[in-house]
Every structure is written in structure tokens, then in C-alpha cells.
Amino acid sequence: MRPPFVVFDKNSVISIPENITTPVKHAVDMISRDHSKVFGKPPVLETSLSEKADIVIRYAETNIECSAKPEAYSFRFEEKDGKSQLHIIGYDDLGIIYGLLHYSHHYLEVDPFWFWADIPVKPKSNIHIPTTNFDSLEKAVKYRGWFVNDEVCLIGWKEQYPPTKEIWFPVFEALLRSGGNMVIPGTDLPKSGIHAELAAEMGLWVTHHHAEPLGAEMFLRAFPGEKPSYKENPERFEFLWEEAIQKQKNEKIVWVLSFRGQGDAPFWQYDPEFDTPEKRGAMISKVVHRQYKMISKSVDQPVCCMALYGEISELYKAGHIQVPDGVIKIWADNGYGKMVTRRQGNESYRIPSLPSVDESGEHGIYYHITFHDLQASNHLTMFPSPPELIKVEVEKAFEAGATSYLLLNSGNIRMHLYPLDIVSELWNKGTINVEEHLQLFMERLYKTKTKEIAQLYRSYFQKTISYGPNPDDKAGEEFYHHPARKIIGHWLQGKMDVPEKRLFWATGEISFTDQVKWFLEKCQNGLAGWEEFLNECRNLSLQLTEEERQRFDAQLLLQAELHAFGCRGFLSLCTAYHSFIQLDYHLAFVHVSRSIDHYKESKQAFKHAEHGKWHNFYRADWLTNIDSTIYSLEALRKFLRMQGDSPDFFLWYKQYLMLETEKYIYLENTHRNPLSDDELAKQLGEKLLQG
């Protein structure tokens, strides 16, 4: 009779395949590391079906052992001399990898985000596994993975560029542990980097950015000074495409067909003769058919997709683009989680971005839980809309037949773990119970106060600022920076008598003064909620153990700080403008100084979250770019001081700070050492604004 459990400990022996592939070898290395953390030493590895083996890793020999489908795996138990062996059986490499990671997660209790959330692995003397056969379920989505996009934190974290295996291995490991099988490993990184090679080595399908069709080098990088026009230079474009095809033809590639301009813009910016939708659609159709034909010459039954993104989606919906048969059509959300076309500058048509009921062929989606658009997106903070929006939009896409492909914009990973996990649940199972998932996710990260922390996560999505009429018009932290810098630049350029057109997406076509007032009111309305949320996070943080406090502070408290400090800073800037137009230059100077102080608090919050291995993780904040906001404010502060305190930078001190008894009898040689901007603002604030 088979015993109810098998027991594994530090002396366990694992049998691995005789001719182990590189992807399986990487997974075995992960399990060996996990064993070391749990049991204190790695397992003994043998390359034969030894009778001593406790775990046997092998490929399926029959359909009974394992479902005859790609990526399937099973657990079977066999008796050898009265001893039960666990056989982890995979249909293919990914099947074995997922089987090993299932064993790691469910029995060694190594969390998929152990690295990114600093979740410690609990040491044990042994583990017990029930001897019940197990078969994996088929994933809801065929090709599913992350686009590691706008990854400046990953790029700047260490000195080496492009990022090394030290950076990429934890990214790809977390993706595999989340059930992913596909990745775009970074954005426009040097082809010499390890990112694509390592992703392939670890068993992942590699796909491409929609602005880099076939993974080819950008035209202007390869041919600087040449006109990036396919009509004028088809042979040069095709040279780059063919080069990319030959380099990747023996790898697992989901080939992206596309034709956009350089720098991820419409191609007609360089070819203005394509001035009608018909001409534009015809050229895109011609190019993607040519790309598909070129791939098919070198790759048998290639997996191809086409991103219906931005202007391409609109042209396709209008019937101007013909996609080759057999190509997966990829529909995209607007960057804020809604399956409609994205906002381009001030234009937001919100055309539904899903296949119609009579649409033939395979479909998938490109989805964002992090975004960078120089307007109101979230890059350093979590997705700003409630997770119910993700559930509704992704499940609606599945119902429309978009189940062949799900590419998720994952950004810099660390700050987006909760929404990343939501989407992994969706691509694995096809549906999600948001409340159940939230509680289980909290229990993975914390042992205490899980209900209280879960409630804070719910509250987070309620506090984000609504900047428009749609449910997805919710502001990430970029809202406090990119519009603020546009306001400062417009102000300093002396254009206050005309509106800042680049802000019409938010404010509509109103005067510049009213635009500033619009942002002031949004920040006023939002700040009380963020202040309350920040205080709640700080209070709860103090109730946690040191280990859990560090995790909580990095995962949620930092996000509260970036929103609260950003909101304060932007509010002070807008207040400064209203003092300025009333000619109260000294008050405007004080308010701008306070704005600087608030934004600098965000920089300090980064430092608090850069403990241990995370040292310098936020130093490459080049997209939200808090440093640029501070730089702009410092320029503005100098400008304001010039309005009323020049030429000697002593007048405000004399007018507002000097004792009345000294004003008329001071000697210039003892009173003409001007205060610094910081010190003058501090003293003026204390005197005029009561602190």
C-alpha cells in the first residue's frame, strides 16, 4: 500500500534528465538554491534513474503520464524497493520547468515574488508531500508574458550597461513562477546585451516591441542621416528585417509584424505624402505582408502577431489595413487599463479596441498596469484604478476571443507586484475573484495584520485623483510632475497670456490661469485623502515586525509618500502662481520653496526604500524624473527672487524680516550678506505664513 506522504529533507536525491537542456538546467538550479534555503544544503543531483532518487525529473513517455499538450506537467508516485519516488513529468521543457516551480511554490513555500518583495524562505527540517497524482491545468492564454518596458530602474540599478544576468535572471524567474512563457526583455537595449539570450536560455518565447518589428535594429540607428522611408529605401529596411530573421530563426520567437515610425511614432511623420487613411493603411498592409513573406521563407510555421496599437488600431477598425492570414491580431488598452484606443497628445477618441463578433482568426491583447505618457500615468507607483477594472477589461477581452496572446507591460517589476499577480491569475485561470485574491496575496507577503493591510490596498485605489469623466481617468504619480514642469516652462517663457496647449488633454481649452487653477483644485481635492492614507500607512507600519515593516514600507508606504508629497508639491506650485499674478512675488517665492521641499521628500522616500540589495534602485528615475521637477522649480524660484529682491537680494530681508529699529540705521557693510534661497524662504514662511 502506498504511504500517504513522501518526505524530503536535506539528504534528498534528485534525478535529472541525462541530456539536460539549458532551460531545464536553469530550473534545476533554482530548485537547488531553494533546497539550500529550506534545508540548509542543496540536493544531490544524479543523471540517471537511480533507485536512490527521491525526485525524478523526466519527460512524459505516454499521454497517461502527462497531457499531450505543450507546457503540461504532472506529479506521479512510483514505488522503488518500498520507497515512494516523486516523478515530476513534463510534456516539454516548459512543462518540466512549471512542474519544478509548482513543487517549489507549494511544498518548499518559495513565493513567486520572493526576490522582488524580500519574502524570506522558511527553513525546515523536512517537507511532506501527499502521494496523490496531480495533473496541471491548461493555461487560459496561449502566449502570455511581460514587456519589461521603460525599465530605467533596472537599467540604473547597477553600474553595468546594458543590464547583466544579475538583473535579468530574477525578472525572468518571477515571470516563469507566475506562469508566463513569453517576454519582451527590455526596450531598445543594445543588441550586445544578455537580455534576449538569457530569456531564450530560460525557456521563454521572445517577442518584440511594436516599434521594432521582427526585433530588427531601428532604421536611423543603422543608417543615420538616411530618410526612414520604406517607399524610398525598401532595400535598407528589408536588410534589417532579414538580418533579424537570420539571427533569431532557430529560437522560440513570437514574431511581431508592424510598421511604425522611428521612436514609436506614426511613420507618416517622416513620409508626409501619406496624408490620407487609405494611403497609410495601404502602406502598412504592404509592409506587414512583406515581413510575413520574408519570415515564412526562413521559418517553418512561424508564430506571428501584429500589434493593432495607436493609429494602427484606428486604421484597421476603419478597414484600411489587411492583416495576413494566420497572424494573431493584438489589441491594446489605452495605457490606463481600458480596452479603447490610447490618448495621443490632446486627442482621445476612445475607439473600442477589441475584436468584433464576426472577426476571424486568433486574437490577443497588449495590456498596461504601468505606463509612461508624460501626462498622468503611473510609472513609479501602482496601477491607479481599482483592480475590478482589470478584471472586467481582461475578462471581456477573453470573452471576445482574445485568448491567444497577453502581453503585459510590467515596467520595473518591484513596485507593481500586486497588479502583476492579478493579471497572472487571469492568464492562468481565465478569471479572478478580486477579494479572495487580495487576501491570499496579503497572506503571501505578511504573517500579521493582513486584513488591515488589505484594507489599505483597497483604500489606495479610492484615493487616486480622478482627472476626467471616465472611470479609468485616474492619476498616477506622473500627474504631479509632467504637467507641473509644463506649467513652469510656460510661465518662465512669459506665455501666461495664452494657454498651454499641451495641457488641454486635462483642462480643456481654457486660459493658462484657469489651467493652473484646474490643477490646483484637483490637488486640493486629492490631498486630504492622500494625507489620511499616508498617516494610516505610517501608523500600521509601526505595528509590524522589522522584517514586515521593511517590506510594507517598500511596497505600499513608498507609494503613499510619492502621491502625498507629489500632490503637496504641485499644490504649492499652483498656489505660487496665484500669488505671482497678484504681484505678491515674495509669497510666490515662499510657496515655490515649499514645493521644492515637498518634492525633495519624495527623493528621501526613495532612499528609505533602497535598503540592502536595493541600493540605488531608484537613482535612474529618468521618466517621472523628480530631479527635473526640482530643477525646474529652482529655476522658477530664482526668477521670482529677481522680481522683487534684486539687484542686491536684500530687499525682502529688509522689508519683512529686519527689526523696525534696525531698518533705518543699519550699515551696509554689516548687512549685505544675502540669505540663501532656502534660508530666506524659511524665514519668510515663518514670518508671513505662520510656519
Side-chain angles (χ1 to χ4, degrees):
M1 180 178 177
R2 179 188 295 173
F5 297 96
V6 289
V7 181
F8 299 136
D9 58 24
K10 65 180 181 181
N11 298 314
S12 293
V13 176
I14 297 180
S15 171
I16 62 177
E18 189 83 30
N19 298 310
I20 191 168
T21 64
T22 302
V24 173
K25 176 65 167 60
H26 277 300
V28 169
D29 289 345
M30 293 179 211
I31 298 305
S32 295
R33 182 200 60 213
D34 296 347
H35 266 241
S36 295
K37 291 186 175 184
V38 173
F39 300 130
K41 59 178 287 191
V44 176
L45 300 178
E46 295 190 351
T47 56
S48 63
L49 290 175
S50 167
E51 293 182 357
K52 298 185 300 181
D54 299 284
I55 300 176
V56 176
I57 302 168
R58 62 182 178 86
Y59 296 93
E61 297 173 359
T62 68
N63 292 350
I64 296 175
E65 287 190 325
C66 182
S67 171
K69 291 184 178 179
E71 305 179 359
Y73 64 92
S74 62
F75 286 11
R76 294 290 185 267
F77 297 87
E78 298 187 9
E79 299 299 312
K80 292 286 186 180
D81 296 331
K83 170 183 175 182
S84 287
Q85 288 181 330
L86 166 61
H87 286 234
I88 299 178
I89 307 167
Y91 174 83
D92 51 17
D93 281 357
L94 273 174
I96 288 179
I97 291 167
Y98 291 142
L100 288 170
L101 296 178
H102 179 98
Y103 163 76
S104 172
H105 185 194
H106 292 277
Y107 299 111
L108 299 178
E109 297 183 356
V110 177
D111 192 87
F113 292 137
W114 70 269
F115 178 90
W116 297 98
D118 295 304
I119 302 172
V121 177
K122 182 180 177 181
K124 300 177 183 180
S125 58
N126 56 57
I127 59 171
H128 293 67
I129 299 181
T131 53
T132 303
N133 290 344
F134 171 82
D135 294 290
S136 64
L137 298 175
E138 188 174 0
K139 307 294 187 186
V141 178
K142 186 189 300 184
Y143 301 106
R144 55 202 180 273
W146 293 345
F147 179 8
V148 188
N149 186 29
D150 298 325
E151 68 281 16
V152 291
C153 294
L154 301 180
I155 289 172
W157 188 7
K158 307 296 180 183
E159 294 296 334
Q160 299 92 334
Y161 180 81
T164 63
K165 180 179 179 180
E166 177 187 10
I167 303 299
W168 287 114
F169 194 94
V171 174
F172 302 150
E173 177 182 341
L175 174 56
L176 286 165
R177 287 180 179 271
S178 298
N181 66 359
M182 176 180 69
V183 70
I184 300 181
T187 313
D188 194 29
L189 294 172
K191 303 301 181 185
S192 60
I194 195 176
H195 43 287
E197 177 185 345
L198 181 62
E201 281 185 5
M202 294 178 72
L204 292 163
W205 290 79
V206 173
T207 190
H208 312 120
H209 191 300
H210 53 258
E212 298 175 293
L214 315 187
E217 188 171 8
M218 286 279 192
F219 183 95
L220 286 179
R221 186 166 285 119
F223 304 111
E226 296 285 339
K227 184 177 180 180
S229 165
Y230 182 76
K231 181 180 179 181
E232 295 184 20
N233 289 306
E235 69 288 342
R236 295 205 161 179
F237 275 96
E238 292 182 16
F239 170 82
L240 296 176
W241 299 339
E242 185 63 30
E243 182 181 57
I245 291 168
Q246 294 306 314
K247 181 178 180 181
Q248 302 168 88
K249 66 181 181 181
N250 296 319
E251 305 292 340
K252 287 167 48 177
I253 304 295
V254 179
W255 301 90
V256 170
L257 313 179
S258 185
F259 189 53
R260 300 201 80 209
Q262 304 297 289
D264 197 13
F267 78 88
W268 50 85
Q269 288 189 3
Y270 293 90
D271 257 341
E273 69 178 275
F274 293 90
D275 55 0
T276 68
E278 292 80 5
K279 292 179 183 178
R280 294 166 179 175
M283 176 54 76
I284 293 170
S285 299
K286 177 181 178 180
V287 167
V288 298
H289 277 80
R290 179 60 181 149
Q291 291 169 348
Y292 186 61
K293 186 175 180 180
M294 291 174 67
I295 296 168
S296 298
K297 281 184 177 180
S298 296
V299 181
D300 184 36
Q301 295 183 323
V303 179
C304 295
C305 66
M306 181 173 175
L308 305 178
Y309 188 66
E311 73 284 348
I312 294 180
S313 171
E314 295 163 11
L315 290 169
Y316 179 81
K317 279 279 191 179
H320 301 305
I321 292 177
Q322 303 303 313
V323 179
D325 292 340
V327 172
I328 305 169
K329 292 180 277 292
I330 311 303
W331 305 83
D333 75 310
N334 63 347
Y336 293 80
K338 187 71 175 175
M339 292 303 298
V340 296
T341 53
R342 65 169 288 192
R343 184 170 57 237
Q344 301 274 8
N346 293 320
E347 294 181 344
S348 184
Y349 297 118
R350 296 180 66 87
I351 299 170
S353 184
L354 281 176
S356 57
V357 292
D358 58 347
E359 190 84 40
S360 62
E362 292 187 76
H363 299 269
I365 62 172
Y366 170 39
Y367 199 76
H368 295 78
I369 49 87
T370 174
F371 193 41
H372 169 62
D373 68 350
L374 297 91
Q375 291 181 340
S377 46
N378 67 300
H379 173 66
L380 300 171
T381 57
M382 273 194 300
F383 186 74
S385 290
E388 287 78 9
L389 176 70
I390 300 175
K391 170 185 168 67
V392 167
E393 294 299 304
V394 175
E395 289 183 2
K396 184 170 64 176
F398 291 167
E399 290 168 6
T403 58
S404 289
Y405 176 110
L406 197 167
L407 181 68
L408 180 65
N409 194 310
S410 62
N412 294 281
I413 315 298
R414 187 188 183 202
M415 55 285 274
H416 307 298
L417 299 184
Y418 176 48
L420 286 176
D421 204 64
I422 289 171
V423 177
S424 72
E425 180 94 347
L426 284 162
W427 74 32
N428 286 324
K429 299 180 180 179
T431 187
I432 188 172
N433 181 311
V434 171
E435 277 303 308
E436 287 181 7
H437 173 269
L438 174 61
Q439 197 57 49
L440 289 172
F441 187 77
M442 292 299 104
E443 290 170 4
R444 283 166 48 189
L445 268 63
Y446 305 98
K447 301 304 179 189
T448 60
K449 302 291 182 181
T450 55
K451 290 183 179 179
E452 292 85 349
I453 299 173
Q455 182 53 43
L456 284 175
Y457 270 76
R458 294 185 196 97
S459 181
Y460 173 89
F461 304 107
Q462 297 167 358
K463 303 300 183 185
T464 49
I465 291 174
S466 295
Y467 63 82
N470 304 296
D472 53 298
D473 292 337
K474 300 279 275 183
E477 89 291 334
E478 290 201 346
F479 181 81
Y480 314 117
H481 295 272
H482 291 283
R485 296 203 292 269
K486 290 181 176 73
I487 286 172
I488 294 169
H490 202 75
W491 181 355
L492 287 175
Q493 292 162 22
K495 299 178 180 178
M496 287 128 25
D497 56 335
V498 296
E500 169 53 275
K501 293 181 180 179
R502 293 175 298 175
L503 298 178
F504 285 169
W505 64 268
T507 66
E509 297 185 22
I510 57 179
S511 71
F512 181 65
T513 295
D514 285 338
Q515 287 180 310
V516 176
K517 182 181 179 183
W518 186 94
F519 282 103
L520 183 146
E521 290 174 350
K522 289 295 179 185
C523 290
Q524 278 181 330
N525 294 336
L527 183 57
W530 282 123
E531 296 280 13
E532 177 185 34
F533 183 72
L534 177 57
N535 288 332
E536 290 173 347
C537 287
R538 285 172 168 168
N539 290 336
L540 185 57
S541 175
L542 296 174
Q543 300 173 48
L544 300 174
T545 64
E546 182 177 352
E547 173 211 302
E548 294 199 334
R549 180 185 307 130
Q550 194 171 70
R551 184 175 311 117
F552 175 82
D553 289 358
Q555 286 296 309
L556 192 60
L557 177 61
L558 172 62
Q559 311 225 2
E561 291 172 328
L562 293 177
H563 275 285
F565 300 156
C567 197
R568 288 177 191 167
F570 201 1
L571 179 59
S572 291
L573 167 64
C574 295
T575 304
Y577 177 78
H578 285 283
S579 294
F580 176 80
I581 61 176
Q582 293 169 12
L583 307 183
D584 291 329
Y585 302 132
H586 60 295
L587 289 179
F589 175 84
V590 171
H591 288 303
V592 167
S593 296
R594 293 195 167 184
S595 179
I596 291 170
D597 291 341
H598 295 317
Y599 284 116
K600 283 183 175 179
E601 287 183 285
S602 295
K603 297 288 291 182
Q604 289 302 311
F606 283 162
K607 293 299 181 185
H608 180 65
E610 289 184 326
H611 55 80
K613 71 187 181 192
W614 302 109
H615 179 62
N616 285 333
F617 185 75
Y618 292 100
R619 69 173 165 180
D621 165 33
W622 301 325
L623 298 184
T624 297
N625 210 326
I626 297 172
D627 282 337
S628 285
T629 306
I630 295 169
Y631 178 88
S632 300
L633 285 162
E634 288 174 340
L636 176 60
R637 183 167 67 170
K638 293 181 186 302
F639 166 81
L640 291 170
R641 193 167 182 183
M642 292 291 294
Q643 305 311 302
D645 201 34
S646 66
D648 300 313
F649 305 103
F650 177 67
L651 298 178
W652 285 347
Y653 176 82
K654 177 182 176 183
Q655 183 174 358
Y656 299 109
L657 299 175
M658 184 178 279
L659 294 173
E660 286 294 324
T661 55
E662 295 293 317
K663 284 184 179 180
Y664 307 104
I665 60 172
Y666 69 90
L667 297 176
E668 290 192 7
N669 65 318
T670 60
H671 285 80
R672 286 302 181 93
N673 183 18
L675 297 176
S676 68
D677 288 346
D678 285 337
E679 185 58 34
L680 179 60
K682 178 176 179 293
Q683 292 190 30
L684 283 174
E686 291 171 350
K687 180 71 175 290
L688 302 175
L689 301 180
Q690 290 77 49

